[in-house]
Amino acid sequence: DLEQLEYLARRNATLATWLRERDVIQRFKRVRSRIPPLDELERTNGLWAFRPDDVSDLGDYYNRAIHVPDPEPVAPMLNAASFRGVDAAFRRGPVAVDDALTPAALKQIRGLLLESTVFFETKMPRVFGGYVGAIVEDGLHARAFLALAEALRRALPGTLGAHPLAYLWCYKYDAEYSGIDVHADEAAVNLNIWLAPDDANLDPDSGGLVVYTTKPDAAAT
């Protein structure tokens, strides 16, 4: 949260003034200074429960949609050439599509996720791998996201055409931690878009996502 607010303050003069007038960034810094190192939080698996001083500092600003931009979606969203043959390929199994988004769409989607203060879901490092998440109910519903979903439906009529968008989420990871563990998502079709810049990828031979083709046991949770 603090890094995101500092990023926004550097890029948006109006928002920087709003944050400064309310001392928001300093409030976050004070709370962070009171949180002990991770190895001292073993009893709570890395979770820090707010104390009264923390609530006094951040009660009005923590997990709040302080800035949620919603620009007009760019067009086109997708590189049409990248989707040739994907419908047919998907019938044989999982498919990876390189250069799926146009440069303008990638810039807009990435920018929205860098700026939108809707990442309210915290996954503790010691239990869940250390990352934060945003979901549609909490504000992850900019028109550009919905336009991208519709563009994908049109690009993949055989795969997605009959299926409405059921859910939308985004995760941000810290390279220091392991990220999401092995899991299965309930969906007719699950589509993941990897938005990290190429220079942030520590393994150029992989996007960082491992897809297993074996179905989980019926009793798995």
Side-chain angles (χ1 to χ4, degrees):
D1 291 342
L2 175 56
E3 289 181 355
Q4 186 180 38
L5 292 175
E6 290 176 329
Y7 172 83
L8 288 169
R10 291 193 299 269
R11 295 176 57 86
N12 186 317
T14 301
L15 184 57
T17 299
W18 188 92
L19 293 168
R20 185 171 58 253
E21 289 174 346
R22 292 158 181 80
D23 201 30
V24 176
I25 289 177
Q26 292 306 314
R27 290 172 181 271
F28 273 88
K29 287 182 176 180
R30 285 197 295 270
V31 172
R32 187 180 65 177
S33 71
R34 294 194 285 262
I35 300 176
L38 186 60
D39 58 10
E40 296 180 21
L41 295 171
E42 290 193 8
R43 186 180 63 82
T44 58
N45 293 312
L47 185 67
W48 171 254
F50 276 4
R51 275 51 172 176
D53 284 350
D54 303 326
V55 175
S56 177
D57 268 330
L58 291 186
D60 292 333
Y61 306 104
Y62 180 71
N63 277 1
R64 295 290 189 271
I66 293 173
H67 181 64
V68 189
D70 186 21
E72 185 73 24
V74 302
M77 280 278 182
L78 304 178
N79 284 315
S82 297
F83 287 85
R84 292 179 188 142
V86 172
D87 258 341
F90 183 77
R91 289 195 288 270
R92 299 189 295 272
V95 179
V97 180
D98 290 323
D99 299 318
L101 276 62
T102 63
L106 179 60
K107 181 179 179 180
Q108 184 175 64
I109 297 295
R110 187 181 285 161
L112 284 168
L113 295 172
L114 284 169
E115 294 190 11
S116 299
T117 59
V118 295
F119 286 80
F120 302 156
E121 184 179 5
T122 303
K123 297 295 188 179
M124 297 93 75
R126 292 190 181 278
V127 180
F128 299 110
Y131 56 96
V132 294
I135 55 178
V136 65
E137 299 99 304
D138 289 339
L140 193 71
H141 46 59
R143 287 174 293 169
F145 301 143
L146 304 181
L148 175 57
E150 183 57 31
L152 288 164
R153 269 168 47 90
R154 292 196 302 269
L156 301 171
T159 303
L160 297 175
H163 302 294
L165 176 65
Y167 208 60
L168 178 68
W169 65 90
C170 177
Y171 295 126
K172 292 182 181 180
Y173 305 93
D174 188 321
E176 185 177 340
Y177 304 122
S178 61
I180 296 177
D181 203 351
V182 176
H183 67 285
D185 292 318
E186 295 183 31
V189 181
N190 190 317
L191 196 152
N192 294 268
I193 302 177
W194 212 253
L195 294 166
D198 289 345
D199 60 8
N201 186 359
L202 302 181
D203 181 6
D205 295 325
S206 169
L209 180 69
V210 179
V211 179
Y212 295 89
T213 57
T214 300
K215 290 184 178 180
D217 185 84
T221 57

